[in-house]
Amino acid sequence: MSEKTRLGNFFEDFWVGQKIAHATPRTITEGDVALYTALTGSRFATNSADTFAHSLGFPRAPVDDLLAFNMVFGRTVPDISLNAIANLGYAAGRFGHPIYPGDTLTADSTVIGLKENSDGKTGIVYVRSCGVNQRGQIALDYCRWVMVRKRNPQSPAPAASVPDLPSAVAAADLIVPTGIRIEQYDCALAGSSELWDDYRVGERIDHVDGMTVEESEHMMATRLYQNTARVHFNQQAEQAGRFGRRIIYGGYIISLARALSFNGLANAFSIAAINGGRHVSPAFAGDTVYAWSEVIAQLIIPGRHDLGALRLRTVATKDHPCADFPYKSPDGRYDASVLLDFDYTVLIPRRA
């Protein structure tokens, strides 16, 4: 048997401090942007129209932040999560320099923690991943943790090392793209009159709309990001697995939830941070995704009186419209319909 092919890293192949340069740089094209729009239906004006982006000081419409996130994530999969059972969560994510069509993304990761599970068959791998453009400017960096199979259950466990990660990115650490101005912001073109001042902490927003995911769509989206995790593609293998079918990539669910949030948060024109997130349960083709959001905090950006930030929790559900805001029971258990619990921070104009 040839030894030239790769089976990916198993839990015992990682060590704390390990640095991994990921293969396959990716130049983002206008075709990628069009396909992302076709697969998510995202309608945020800044990402949809060069003219609108120009009015805010962008040279052209930037790539959707979550398209950039998923592209960077896709670089990391062959090295980090090819043998994963589940991607478990995110923290300390910060978006930096906007990405535009024609930019090339590369990525690297550093292992920041390891912990074997009690079953001895799997372990949790914590990594910090960073995506940069062709000029070396950071597009985003974030932490995630993933449950990875062991190659040999009898192999010795490494010493447990769990990183101490922040609960949220502080307002002072948020990055506002250089040159952004708000004085020409057009609420009518953006699709909503509600600005930073119109939201309140604790407010819950039902985004109303739902989107049913088809088998071909979720696989096409995942291939767009060059995410090679087998659980999303190989039905022959997955029919013998836990669920008997292919699982929808969690990043696609995040993108759908963000796209659905337009109805109620249309002026949240840019994602500045990913504070935390959890894929609560798997999604499958045929599920209809709904979403609702809660305003966790209104943040003042130092030195900016025209621009603020909202820390949001967006919850995505399957086959459950969100008028009753399904989330957790009094004992802390998630409602059976919840797919995603996503904590992130967006930039939004303030009233003059």
Side-chain angles (χ1 to χ4, degrees):
M1 178 178 176
S2 173
E3 296 182 355
K4 294 184 174 63
T5 54
R6 298 180 59 203
L7 298 178
N9 290 318
F10 292 86
F11 179 70
E12 56 263 57
D13 297 320
F14 295 99
W15 66 90
V16 175
Q18 180 182 9
K19 296 183 183 298
I20 303 170
H22 302 299
T24 317
R26 178 63 180 265
T27 301
I28 311 300
T29 69
E30 292 181 351
D32 296 325
V33 173
L35 184 54
Y36 183 82
T37 303
L39 292 169
T40 65
S42 185
R43 294 184 285 158
F44 292 94
T46 306
N47 307 119
S48 300
D50 286 345
T51 51
F52 192 91
H54 286 158
S55 73
L56 299 185
F58 292 99
R60 62 179 302 187
V63 168
D64 189 290
D65 297 306
L66 290 178
L67 174 56
F69 167 79
N70 282 311
M71 285 294 194
V72 171
F73 190 106
R75 309 306 94 205
T76 72
V77 169
D79 299 307
I80 304 299
S81 48
L82 191 64
N83 294 304
I85 293 174
N87 190 59
L88 299 178
Y90 309 93
R94 204 164 58 139
F95 288 83
H97 199 278
I99 296 298
Y100 302 96
D103 284 345
T104 298
L105 286 170
T106 56
D108 61 62
S109 295
T110 301
V111 179
I112 59 174
L114 293 169
K115 184 178 184 296
E116 186 177 73
N117 288 326
S118 58
D119 65 3
K121 299 178 181 178
T122 60
I124 310 300
V125 180
Y126 298 81
V127 297
R128 176 180 291 277
S129 297
C130 182
V132 301
N133 67 14
Q134 66 276 17
R135 293 178 292 277
Q137 297 165 315
I138 295 176
L140 72 151
D141 69 287
Y142 64 96
C143 298
R144 70 167 171 132
W145 48 103
V146 57
M147 185 188 302
V148 179
R149 295 179 178 87
K150 292 181 69 175
R151 179 186 290 105
N152 178 7
Q154 305 307 315
S155 62
S161 176
V162 177
D164 184 17
L165 298 171
S167 61
V169 177
D173 294 328
L174 299 176
I175 298 172
V176 178
T178 303
I180 294 302
R181 56 183 186 270
I182 299 301
E183 61 267 20
Q184 297 184 54
Y185 192 91
D186 190 325
C187 287
L189 292 178
S192 173
S193 61
E194 282 82 25
L195 301 178
W196 183 88
D197 315 74
D198 301 308
Y199 294 88
R200 66 183 187 277
V201 174
E203 178 178 3
R204 291 182 167 188
I205 304 162
D206 174 13
H207 299 304
V208 180
D209 306 306
M211 190 176 298
T212 302
V213 182
E214 306 297 343
E215 199 81 81
S216 60
E217 292 173 339
H218 84 83
M219 290 192 296
M220 186 176 295
T222 311
R223 285 193 292 263
L224 172 66
Y225 314 135
Q226 295 172 313
N227 179 335
T228 56
R230 300 181 184 95
V231 295
H232 307 312
F233 300 114
N234 190 331
Q235 179 58 34
Q236 188 174 31
E238 291 310 305
Q239 66 186 2
R242 284 191 301 163
F243 304 109
R245 59 189 304 195
R246 289 159 286 189
I247 299 171
I248 293 174
Y249 163 50
Y252 187 41
I253 300 299
I254 295 175
S255 290
L256 291 181
R258 165 70 171 165
L260 292 169
S261 77
F262 178 90
N263 192 351
L265 289 163
N267 288 316
F269 69 89
S270 179
I271 299 178
I274 296 174
N275 302 303
R278 181 178 176 185
H279 297 291
V280 177
S281 62
F284 304 98
D287 288 344
T288 299
V289 178
Y290 296 89
W292 65 271
S293 295
E294 179 180 2
V295 180
I296 300 175
Q298 285 180 291
L299 304 175
I300 294 174
I301 299 174
R304 298 296 298 247
H305 302 288
D306 57 343
L307 188 66
L310 296 177
R311 182 181 171 191
L312 303 170
R313 170 182 291 112
T314 293
V315 176
T317 64
K318 59 179 175 182
D319 301 333
H320 188 140
C322 292
D324 60 342
F325 305 109
Y327 188 44
K328 290 182 179 179
S329 61
D331 64 1
R333 295 184 180 183
Y334 282 100
D335 185 274
S337 68
V338 174
L339 291 170
L340 171 73
D341 184 356
F342 193 55
D343 178 341
Y344 61 114
T345 301
V346 296
L347 301 180
I348 184 169
R350 297 175 64 178
R351 296 198 181 280

